[in-house]
Amino acid sequence: MQKLEKGLDAEGRKRVLREADELKKAQETEQDLNVLPTLTTQDIPLASPPTLVSIENLDKTKLFFFEKPTNGLTYLRIKIDLTSLDHSNIHHLHILSLLFNQLGTQQHRYDEFSELLQLHTTGFSFNIFYDGHPHDANKVDGFAILSITCLDRNINKMFELLNEILTAPDFKDFEHITKLIRMSSSAAASRLVEKPLEFAIDYGVSSHRPAQQYYNKLANNRFLTNYGTNLQKNESRLFLEDLEFSLSYILQKIIKRSHLSFSIHSAQSNRPEIRTNIQNLLSSLKNTYKSRPWCNTRI
């Protein structure tokens, strides 16, 4: 500053003072707020435009095509009806939902398959839900939602990966599955310790509400904690093969053409390609695991 000041002549000093005075006046001047963009409630329409949906039947399988701009993305949701699954399988169904999107396939190890999913899609989720029946308080309808998204150019690859995980999941990678169950079991034990009152209330309510009872059986942290402990104590091949059979049996039971419906958000120009891929996926669904003589057909 001293060097700059020495380099200024009288006219330069006047110019600096004049500019400082102009800056001060500009800063102290009240701003015109009307020039700012504003949004009021009057600018928001009272009713949003309806979402148009086209419903098609593909060999008795329902396809719901939603007409909304997706900016070059394709969103796929597969609803899986679980009413055919006996309630005695519900604990292993919970384990399947925890493991499914972290498994490999018979063609790719879990890390390789995960890399392929991340390269061509956003990855997929597999979640279990349940609905209470509107006219029957004692009836509960369970269903699963498999969700996946990709760029339009990766539609074929997305369905190829879906086909692979649905028809040939690797339930024989006992080392990886054991690690995942132990992690889930440890997290479940922590939740029980951190929120005991919440679980007590849930179990109290479940004696009066079938839907809550279904949920408690599905997300049974006590079962998962005990299962992880037993797995650690009895890490024998027989124990793990029993788990493999239970998981594969459940998947075979629920992944059937008659139990599936598809919800698609994508550009209309992609419909023929998507329809063809869904047809190929449905055609490839088949029983790939064999029963063992020491296992019953129902677990």
Side-chain angles (χ1 to χ4, degrees), residues 1-8 13:
M1 291 294 293
Q2 291 174 352
K3 186 183 294 185
L4 288 173
E5 186 178 0
K6 289 179 181 179
L8 291 173
R13 287 189 174 88

Side-chain angles (χ1 to χ4, degrees), residues 82-148:
L82 301 178
T83 53
S84 64
L85 195 65
D86 190 90
H87 279 202
S88 62
N89 302 117
I90 199 167
H91 293 318
H92 286 97
L93 176 64
H94 179 47
I95 293 178
L96 178 65
S97 70
L98 294 174
L99 303 182
F100 199 40
N101 65 344
Q102 303 178 72
L103 295 176
T105 68
Q106 295 176 12
Q107 290 79 31
H108 297 95
R109 275 173 46 89
Y110 67 90
D111 51 347
E112 296 170 347
F113 190 72
S114 176
E115 186 175 343
L116 288 171
L117 281 173
Q118 296 303 321
L119 182 62
H120 299 287
T121 74
T122 60
F124 77 93
S125 62
F126 183 82
N127 299 300
I128 311 296
F129 301 91
Y130 60 94
D131 276 338
H133 198 277
H135 305 299
D136 187 352
N138 294 316
K139 185 177 180 181
V140 179
D141 296 326
F143 60 95
I145 299 292
L146 191 156
S147 304
I148 191 168

Side-chain angles (χ1 to χ4, degrees), residues 7-154:
L8 291 173
D9 55 14
E11 183 61 30
R13 287 189 174 88
K14 290 181 181 179
R15 176 172 52 79
V16 170
L17 292 174
R18 184 172 64 253
E19 291 177 352
D21 186 54
E22 291 174 355
L23 174 63
K24 183 179 179 182
K25 290 179 179 178
Q27 291 173 334
E28 294 176 349
T29 301
E30 186 175 351
Q31 302 296 313
D32 182 10
L33 301 181
N34 292 324
V35 302
L36 297 175
T38 57
L39 181 67
T40 66
T41 54
Q42 285 73 28
D43 298 313
I44 304 173
L46 295 177
S48 59
T51 300
L52 301 179
V53 57
S54 300
I55 303 176
E56 300 181 11
N57 284 300
L58 187 63
D59 295 335
K60 299 182 180 180
T61 299
K62 284 192 175 182
L63 311 183
F64 298 85
F65 286 99
F66 290 89
E67 300 178 17
K68 280 286 187 179
T70 60
N71 198 26
L73 293 171
T74 291
Y75 299 85
L76 174 66
R77 306 290 181 268
I78 305 176
K79 183 178 180 181
I80 305 165
D81 186 6
L82 301 178
T83 53
S84 64
L85 195 65
D86 190 90
H87 279 202
S88 62
N89 302 117
I90 199 167
H91 293 318
H92 286 97
L93 176 64
H94 179 47
I95 293 178
L96 178 65
S97 70
L98 294 174
L99 303 182
F100 199 40
N101 65 344
Q102 303 178 72
L103 295 176
T105 68
Q106 295 176 12
Q107 290 79 31
H108 297 95
R109 275 173 46 89
Y110 67 90
D111 51 347
E112 296 170 347
F113 190 72
S114 176
E115 186 175 343
L116 288 171
L117 281 173
Q118 296 303 321
L119 182 62
H120 299 287
T121 74
T122 60
F124 77 93
S125 62
F126 183 82
N127 299 300
I128 311 296
F129 301 91
Y130 60 94
D131 276 338
H133 198 277
H135 305 299
D136 187 352
N138 294 316
K139 185 177 180 181
V140 179
D141 296 326
F143 60 95
I145 299 292
L146 191 156
S147 304
I148 191 168
T149 305
C150 72
L151 294 172
D152 289 347
R153 66 173 182 265
N154 293 328

Side-chain angles (χ1 to χ4, degrees), residues 122-268:
T122 60
F124 77 93
S125 62
F126 183 82
N127 299 300
I128 311 296
F129 301 91
Y130 60 94
D131 276 338
H133 198 277
H135 305 299
D136 187 352
N138 294 316
K139 185 177 180 181
V140 179
D141 296 326
F143 60 95
I145 299 292
L146 191 156
S147 304
I148 191 168
T149 305
C150 72
L151 294 172
D152 289 347
R153 66 173 182 265
N154 293 328
I155 289 176
N156 288 330
K157 189 64 178 179
M158 177 183 72
F159 276 96
E160 179 184 325
L161 295 172
L162 269 181
N163 193 326
E164 188 174 330
I165 190 63
L166 290 176
T167 60
D170 186 8
F171 292 130
K172 296 179 182 293
D173 189 352
F174 296 148
E175 181 180 355
H176 179 56
I177 288 175
T178 299
K179 181 177 68 174
L180 293 176
I181 290 179
R182 285 177 178 171
M183 292 172 58
S184 299
S185 174
S186 177
S190 298
R191 289 194 295 269
L192 284 171
V193 174
E194 293 170 0
K195 301 179 179 180
L197 182 59
E198 179 179 316
F199 288 103
I201 294 173
D202 286 342
Y203 275 99
V205 173
S206 67
S207 62
H208 301 286
R209 295 182 183 176
Q212 188 66 31
Q213 188 178 36
Y214 184 93
Y215 167 77
N216 284 330
K217 286 183 178 179
L218 177 64
N220 193 321
N221 288 274
R222 185 175 60 180
F223 168 80
L224 186 57
T225 302
N226 291 337
Y227 196 89
T229 302
N230 291 332
L231 181 61
Q232 190 167 359
K233 291 179 180 178
N234 305 299
E235 195 175 334
S236 64
R237 188 167 186 85
L238 185 64
F239 188 89
L240 292 168
E241 284 182 347
D242 178 71
L243 174 62
E244 176 213 343
F245 180 82
S246 298
L247 296 180
S248 60
Y249 167 78
I250 290 173
L251 196 62
Q252 294 168 34
K253 189 74 174 176
I254 63 177
I255 305 297
K256 293 182 178 179
R257 180 191 294 263
S258 58
H259 297 162
L260 306 180
S261 58
F262 294 79
S263 168
I264 305 102
H265 290 70
S266 187
Q268 191 166 3

